[in-house]
Amino acid sequence: MAAAGAEEEAAAAATTAEEEGRREGTRESEGECGDEGDSDSSADGEDEEKENEAEIQRLEEQLSINAFDYNCHLDLIKLLRQEGELVKLRRARQKMSELFPLTEEIWLDWLKDEIRMASESTDREKVYELFERAVKDYICPEIWLEYAQYSIGGIGEEGGIEKVRSIFERALTAVGLHVTKGTAIWEAYREFENAILETVQPAAGSIPSPEQQQTLCAQLEKIHTLFRRQLGLPLLDMEATYAEYEEWSEDPIPEAVIKNYKKALQQMEKSKPYEEALLVAETPKLAEYQAYIDFEMKAGDPARIQLIYERALAENCLVPDLWARYNQYLDRQLKVKELVLSAHDRAVRNCPWTVGLWNRYLLAMERHKVDHQIVSENFEKALNAGFIQATDYVEIWQAYLDYLRRRVDFTQDSSKELEELRSAFARAVEYLKQEVEERFSESGDPSCTIMQNWARIEARLCNNMQKARELWDSIMTKGNAKYANMWLEYYNLERAHGDTQHCRKALHRAVQCTSDYPEHVCEVLLSLERIEGTLEDWDAAVQKTENRLARVNEQRVKAAEKEAALVKQEEEKAEQRKQARAEKKASKKAKKMKPGDKRKVEDDDDGEWGQEEEAEQPSKRHKGDGDSARAEEEVEDMEVETGLFGRSTPARPAASSKQKEKAAASRKEAPRVLHDSAKDNVTVFVSNLSYSMADPEVKLKELFESCGEVVEIRPIFSNRGTFRGYCYVEFVDEKSALQALGLDRRIVEGRPMFVSPCVDKNKNPDFKVFRYSTALEKHKLFISGLPFSCTKEELEEMCKAHGNVKDIRLVTNRAGKPKGLAYVEYENEAQASQAVLKMDGLTIKENVIKVAISNPPLRKFPDKPEAGRASQSMVPRQIYGAAELSSQWCLVHYNARAIL
């Protein structure tokens, strides 16, 4: 009875406090309404309200077109909350929560709004349901604390105190190990139990009954237990908790508790460096979190490892690799169904564009025997997730088809599961042909891997070779008949599950159609006839293969002759250019020649300078004889235009002319210093400078001194003393030289200056400098078709509407003129994907732009072919890169060897 009375008293106190809080909230709400009324009375307020309504309508229409627009959801919720549209606001939040896990801030705003409006017990239950959804999205201590504190208001209901304790216990399980924020949950729990303790204390001067004494002791033991549990965990401010326990407890602290406390304190000291690193690190803190996870992995406590992963994901929810590592850990280590499936579900809701996460989710559902209907529904969600590559759709279809295949019992001739599998294969082929090809202009499956798998299943598992042949016939009609590897794949299948007649027919067709490696197909055909064929079959095969190979060799000879002719033609052109330059140089010398010995002196000087120029000029400026010729012609043209030879130049003051002649003469007379390759590590090579730059040493020294102490700047001049547009900059230390590389592409006198490491190309012929990534970058966009007048600021203004823009690079030519191309880097993949959907096809200043995820083609540097030597094989399949051709060649060899 005493316990019941105590609970009722505590419930009454809590209910009174809640009513006071509700009345206070009502007064605040009324005050806000009054302020809004004053604002609405003004004309400006009415105009703003109309603008907001129009914007709300626009956002709703936008979401009806693309429901996965995350930023659009946020803007709509913000406007509806500002306008007080509570019904629409609730609906908007509901829709967003169905598509995405909500952040801690969004959930707290939503929960506070719902708590403010809750008045009846039924409303309280709805708030409880909302809290349950909130704690599933992310493990957030603030939401759990809010949940527990809200539940205290319901202790007056039946079982209210036990419900509060249940929520606190769940909160401790979820976030009680949080090093920096877990203490708040423990303290709130103890405060609640202390409040209960106050209600069961006997009145002053009264003697408690045995029942009251038992209740009091039980409550004291609850608080003791909470202190002891907390002191056994490595949490922030453990010392303060220990001191509080010493003060609160009337009895000495047990030795076992002190031992656990010291052990936890030591563990806390080990964790402190990682917590401090997180405290000072800048977002996204991925490296710091990964180091923390690796540390906890060594300790091996699953609860702590899970918590660190959850903390990292709360701050980096849009990083697919982090989700993948977390899910892999859960799949392989914890293997708890609810936990694993919840993490996979949150992963695909956060990063729906990442096909790898969907594949892992399908496998996890199959592994934990989730109902087939739910698996199929999630697969349909994956198809609507908006992948950014055609191959992603092939991958998700293949994962789903593998799942369906594992459900089929092939010992039965026919079953519902088998029909579903066949239907799914047919739908996959049609989907790739219609939906994917329409969006990406390719199916993503040029080799028809899905149809090949279908044919193998029909032949091997269903014993339906006729269907397999029909499928392979369809595969060959899709442009694959010219590849030997495809024919050998079909032959292997026919050999294993078909008959000799169809094998022979397939190989005869292969000999006629194959254009990449016909020798292998011919070899397989002859091997078949040698083992199983009659004399007539052998003669027919020999005749057919000889005729085919004769035609192939004839085509190869013609191709080789054509290539040799092209090489010879290029050599002749190079020789002609070389002679033309020599004649031009000789004619210029003849015009300037004077009587006496001066000619001999000039000839000697010219030879010496020419040698020095050849030594000093880096090989990066020579990409071949043709390029070298063009470079020298450009220099000569520049000299003509600036009047170095006395042509095409207006008369200038004599003093200026004399000064230039004097400066040029001094440069010619100055001793030449060859570059010391031992100083490459402290030297940078600077090129693409203006030929007309006056005093390049002075101009560049001002620029490069910002990177460190400059020892020397050596501009390279021509034989006549004119600046050649490039130089060497030598620093005191290597650190300064590395910092100077950051000045690459800096605009100097209207041209982008190129700054690169100083490398001897004769010793390192394969050295290439390219500062930008050539791989797929899902967070970066490539934009083409921009008007040349488009500035970086204009492009940034347009792009930032779809996310946080980290960098923008407008592509220019060597003269600094725009090429109508740009690269835009966003914070994450989600923002980049959103920008592609919104910006592709936009019209800017009458130009229609194209926007795609940055995926540059491989930079190819082909070697110059030797004269008179041609390629020994025809490779008609131009879509393959070098690595793919090598892979194709090996695969053909493997198949041929397997057959033989």
Side-chain angles (χ1 to χ4, degrees):
M1 292 294 293
E7 291 188 5
E8 289 175 3
E9 186 177 349
T15 305
T16 303
E18 185 185 8
E19 290 297 329
E20 286 293 328
R22 188 176 295 127
R23 284 196 292 271
E24 185 65 25
T26 305
R27 286 196 293 271
E28 291 176 2
S29 179
E30 289 172 354
E32 291 173 3
C33 291
D35 292 340
E36 288 175 3
D38 294 337
S39 175
D40 291 342
S41 62
S42 65
D44 292 340
E46 292 177 359
D47 292 341
E48 184 179 354
E49 186 176 350
K50 289 180 180 178
E51 289 177 3
N52 288 344
E53 288 178 359
E55 181 64 11
I56 288 170
Q57 186 175 357
R58 186 191 70 79
L59 291 171
E60 288 176 340
E61 290 175 356
Q62 182 65 32
L63 288 174
S64 67
I65 298 171
N66 178 17
F68 287 91
D69 191 333
Y70 189 88
N71 292 327
C72 196
H73 280 285
L74 291 181
D75 294 340
L76 179 60
I77 289 171
K78 183 179 178 181
L79 269 178
L80 290 173
R81 194 165 192 252
Q82 180 180 329
E83 290 296 306
E85 296 279 356
L86 300 180
V87 177
K88 288 186 177 181
L89 176 61
R90 182 180 290 163
R91 187 164 58 243
R93 284 166 167 164
Q94 181 68 29
K95 287 183 178 179
M96 185 177 183
S97 69
E98 290 172 359
L99 296 173
F100 305 101
L102 304 185
T103 62
E104 177 185 318
E105 294 77 12
I106 297 175
W107 271 120
L108 288 174
D109 286 342
W110 189 358
L111 290 164
K112 288 175 182 177
D113 289 344
E114 294 293 344
I115 290 171
R116 191 180 296 115
M117 292 185 291
S119 58
E120 301 176 358
S121 59
T122 55
D123 293 334
R124 177 173 287 276
E125 287 301 320
K126 290 179 180 177
V127 175
Y128 282 141
E129 292 174 5
L130 200 60
F131 268 114
E132 288 296 331
R133 289 173 54 191
V135 296
K136 289 178 181 177
D137 274 359
Y138 298 106
I139 294 182
C140 296
E142 288 82 359
I143 293 178
W144 274 110
L145 187 60
E146 190 76 23
Y147 189 10
Q149 289 176 341
Y150 177 73
S151 68
I152 293 175
I155 59 176
E157 301 173 1
E158 184 179 355
I161 291 180
E162 292 307 318
K163 184 168 186 176
V164 174
R165 284 174 176 155
S166 172
I167 292 173
F168 266 119
E169 287 295 336
R170 289 174 58 202
L172 292 180
T173 302
V175 295
L177 287 172
H178 197 297
V179 174
T180 58
K181 297 180 179 180
T183 304
I185 303 291
W186 288 99
E187 289 177 350
Y189 196 0
R190 287 204 314 274
E191 286 176 10
F192 168 73
E193 293 295 352
N194 275 316
I196 298 296
L197 179 64
E198 291 295 325
T199 64
V200 299
Q201 290 280 7
S206 64
I207 299 175
S209 65
E211 188 178 13
Q212 289 177 327
Q213 188 65 34
Q214 185 180 358
T215 302
L216 179 63
C217 291
Q219 188 61 31
L220 285 171
E221 185 59 30
K222 282 185 173 68
I223 300 173
H224 274 291
T225 303
L226 284 175
F227 267 118
R228 293 167 185 172
R229 288 168 63 191
Q230 182 180 355
L231 290 173
L233 301 175
L235 301 174
L236 203 63
D237 295 331
M238 292 181 63
E239 298 86 349
T241 305
Y242 184 81
E244 182 184 347
Y245 186 30
E246 278 187 317
E247 183 181 351
W248 181 84
S249 177
E250 296 178 355
D251 302 323
I253 300 177
E255 285 297 323
V257 175
I258 296 174
K259 184 178 180 181
N260 289 335
Y261 164 70
K262 290 181 178 179
K263 185 178 179 182
L265 200 59
Q266 291 175 355
Q267 192 174 355
M268 180 63 210
E269 289 301 317
K270 293 179 182 178
S271 301
K272 256 186 182 179
Y274 299 99
E275 292 291 345
E276 290 171 355
L278 288 174
L279 194 62
V280 299
E282 296 182 359
T283 305
K285 309 180 185 179
L286 285 172
E288 290 76 14
Y289 271 119
Q290 189 58 51
Y292 204 168
I293 290 168
D294 293 340
F295 164 73
E296 292 293 353
M297 284 284 193
K298 292 177 182 177
D301 186 342
R304 295 185 61 78
I305 295 170
Q306 181 196 356
L307 185 61
I308 299 299
Y309 263 122
E310 289 288 352
R311 288 175 60 184
L313 288 166
E315 296 187 43
N316 301 279
C317 60
L318 299 178
V319 180
D321 289 343
L322 186 59
W323 281 108
R325 291 196 294 272
Y326 181 40
N327 289 337
Q328 185 181 66
Y329 171 76
L330 295 178
D331 286 335
R332 295 181 179 178
Q333 302 297 327
L334 297 187
K335 302 179 182 179
V336 179
K337 179 178 179 180
E338 291 74 14
L339 185 60
V340 169
L341 295 180
S342 171
H344 279 287
D345 180 65
R346 289 186 291 137
V348 297
R349 288 173 65 204
N350 273 289
C351 307
W353 63 89
T354 308
V355 69
L357 296 178
W358 285 103
N359 287 344
R360 292 186 181 92
Y361 191 14
L362 291 178
L363 288 170
M365 285 188 287
E366 182 182 4
R367 198 175 291 122
H368 292 282
K369 296 178 173 53
V370 174
D371 184 70
H372 173 61
Q373 183 64 30
I374 297 176
V375 177
S376 298
E377 289 173 0
N378 279 288
F379 168 70
E380 295 298 332
K381 289 180 183 178
L383 289 182
N384 296 319
F387 299 133
I388 59 178
Q389 296 181 101
T391 52
D392 290 346
Y393 287 94
V394 179
E395 195 173 336
I396 191 64
W397 266 112
Q398 192 58 64
Y400 183 60
L401 292 167
D402 290 345
Y403 157 73
L404 293 178
R405 195 265 306 164
R406 288 190 285 267
R407 295 181 70 242
V408 178
D409 180 6
F410 289 101
T411 59
Q412 301 178 14
D413 293 337
S414 180
S415 65
K416 179 182 176 182
E417 289 78 10
L418 178 58
E419 293 307 315
E420 184 179 5
L421 175 62
R422 284 173 171 157
S423 176
F425 266 116
R427 184 188 167 201
V429 173
E430 189 65 22
Y431 186 92
L432 295 177
K433 180 181 178 182
Q434 299 291 335
E435 303 288 336
V436 177
E437 199 163 329
E438 181 179 344
R439 179 180 171 189
F440 297 97
S441 300
E442 58 162 326
S443 68
D445 190 17
S447 298
C448 302
T449 54
I450 286 181
M451 292 184 71
Q452 287 190 47
N453 290 335
W454 187 4
R456 293 187 189 104
I457 289 173
E458 292 290 353
R460 295 175 184 174
L461 302 177
C462 301
N463 298 318
N464 188 353
M465 197 61 204
Q466 183 59 37
K467 179 64 177 178
R469 291 180 186 123
E470 292 174 4
L471 290 169
W472 267 103
D473 186 64
S474 179
I475 290 170
M476 292 305 184
T477 59
K478 295 181 183 296
N480 291 299
K482 55 187 175 182
Y483 304 126
N485 187 62
M486 300 298 286
W487 282 107
L488 295 179
E489 283 285 347
Y490 172 46
Y491 173 77
N492 283 336
L493 189 69
E494 192 70 63
R495 189 74 170 158
H497 307 284
D499 54 58
T500 305
Q501 181 181 354
H502 282 92
C503 288
R504 181 177 291 112
K505 184 178 179 181
L507 289 176
H508 276 275
R509 287 181 61 197
V511 169
Q512 289 298 114
C513 301
T514 302
S515 58
D516 54 355
Y517 304 111
E519 297 91 343
H520 296 291
V521 177
C522 293
E523 187 178 354
V524 173
L525 175 59
L526 292 175
S527 177
L528 172 68
E529 301 300 1
R530 179 177 287 113
I531 296 171
E532 299 186 20
T534 63
L535 178 60
E536 290 78 8
D537 294 332
W538 172 261
D539 290 340
V542 169
Q543 184 178 356
K544 194 158 197 170
T545 55
E546 286 179 351
N547 291 340
R548 175 60 177 157
L549 292 178
R551 288 197 302 272
V552 168
N553 289 331
E554 184 180 348
Q555 292 170 357
R556 287 175 177 171
V557 169
K558 288 181 180 179
E561 291 174 352
K562 185 177 180 180
E563 187 174 350
L566 289 174
V567 171
K568 186 176 180 181
Q569 188 178 357
E570 286 296 321
E571 288 180 345
E572 290 174 353
K573 288 181 180 179
E575 186 64 28
Q576 290 173 2
R577 286 194 295 266
K578 187 175 180 181
Q579 291 178 0
R581 287 197 304 273
E583 291 172 1
K584 190 174 183 180
K585 193 172 182 181
S587 65
K588 289 177 182 177
K589 285 183 180 180
K591 288 181 181 179
K592 288 194 171 184
M593 197 175 301
K594 293 181 180 180
D597 295 331
K598 186 164 179 82
R599 175 172 182 173
K600 183 176 184 301
V601 173
E602 285 184 348
D603 286 345
D604 293 340
D605 287 344
D606 188 66
E608 182 181 348
W609 280 67
Q611 293 171 3
E612 291 170 351
E613 285 296 325
E614 189 67 29
E616 290 190 343
Q617 187 168 350
S619 58
K620 74 177 280 184
R621 296 183 62 86
H622 297 280
K623 298 182 180 178
D625 292 342
D627 292 338
S628 175
R630 285 194 293 273
E632 290 190 18
E633 287 170 4
E634 287 173 5
V635 173
E636 289 173 355
D637 289 342
M638 180 66 76
E639 292 170 348
V640 171
E641 290 172 3
T642 53
L644 292 175
F645 300 146
R647 292 175 292 178
S648 305
T649 307
R652 296 183 181 178
S656 175
S657 176
K658 287 180 180 180
Q659 288 175 359
K660 289 190 175 183
E661 290 176 3
K662 186 176 180 181
S666 66
R667 289 168 182 157
K668 289 176 67 174
E669 294 170 2
R672 295 288 167 167
V673 180
L674 296 177
H675 173 64
D676 184 2
S677 59
K679 297 181 179 179
D680 282 351
N681 62 324
V682 294
T683 307
V684 295
F685 176 69
V686 183
S687 60
N688 202 44
L689 298 168
S690 173
Y691 295 110
S692 60
M693 180 182 287
D695 295 325
E697 298 99 325
V698 177
K699 178 80 174 177
L700 296 175
K701 190 168 185 179
E702 295 175 358
L703 187 61
F704 282 96
E705 277 183 337
S706 62
C707 304
E709 185 179 348
V710 177
V711 175
E712 181 186 15
I713 294 181
R714 294 198 306 279
I716 305 302
F717 297 96
S718 68
N719 295 347
R720 296 170 185 81
T722 58
F723 183 43
R724 296 294 297 273
Y726 59 94
C727 66
Y728 295 91
V729 180
E730 182 182 335
F731 292 91
V732 171
D733 52 38
E734 187 175 353
K735 182 180 179 182
S736 302
L738 293 173
Q739 191 173 348
L741 297 176
L743 297 177
D744 187 36
R745 313 285 168 164
R746 175 73 65 87
I747 302 299
V748 178
E749 295 191 1
R751 294 171 65 90
M753 173 181 69
F754 299 161
V755 184
S756 57
C758 190
V759 176
D760 187 347
K761 294 295 288 296
N762 294 322
K763 296 179 181 178
N764 300 278
D766 297 329
F767 178 78
K768 296 289 179 184
V769 177
F770 190 68
R771 62 180 294 192
Y772 303 109
S773 172
T774 57
L776 173 66
E777 296 180 282
K778 295 184 179 181
H779 66 292
K780 186 181 290 186
L781 304 184
F782 173 66
I783 304 178
S784 60
L786 289 168
F788 293 153
S789 60
C790 182
T791 65
K792 185 176 180 179
E793 291 74 19
E794 291 173 341
L795 185 58
E796 182 176 10
E797 187 66 26
M798 179 178 63
C799 294
K800 71 181 183 181
H802 310 295
N804 188 9
V805 177
K806 293 180 66 177
D807 184 44
I808 291 182
R809 175 167 66 94
L810 293 176
V811 182
T812 61
N813 59 17
R814 294 178 67 87
K817 303 297 181 183
K819 299 175 71 174
L821 309 174
Y823 289 91
V824 181
E825 182 179 356
Y826 282 94
E827 261 192 354
N828 52 59
E829 299 175 21
Q831 295 176 359
S833 301
Q834 190 65 38
V836 171
L837 295 174
K838 294 290 187 65
M839 295 169 57
D840 188 33
L842 280 182
T843 301
I844 301 177
K845 298 180 182 179
E846 300 182 356
N847 286 40
V848 179
I849 65 171
K850 293 183 178 180
V851 184
I853 297 296
S854 175
N855 188 17
L858 292 175
R859 292 170 61 80
K860 298 180 181 179
F861 305 100
D863 295 332
K864 182 178 177 181
E866 297 179 10
R869 187 174 178 180
S871 173
Q872 297 300 313
S873 63
M874 295 188 303
V875 186
R877 193 178 189 182
Q878 298 299 324
I879 63 169
Y880 278 130
E884 294 176 43
L885 278 172
S886 176
S887 173
Q888 182 82 350
W889 177 264
C890 293
L891 192 55
V892 170
H893 269 284
Y894 173 80
N895 283 330
R897 289 177 60 190
I899 294 164
L900 296 174

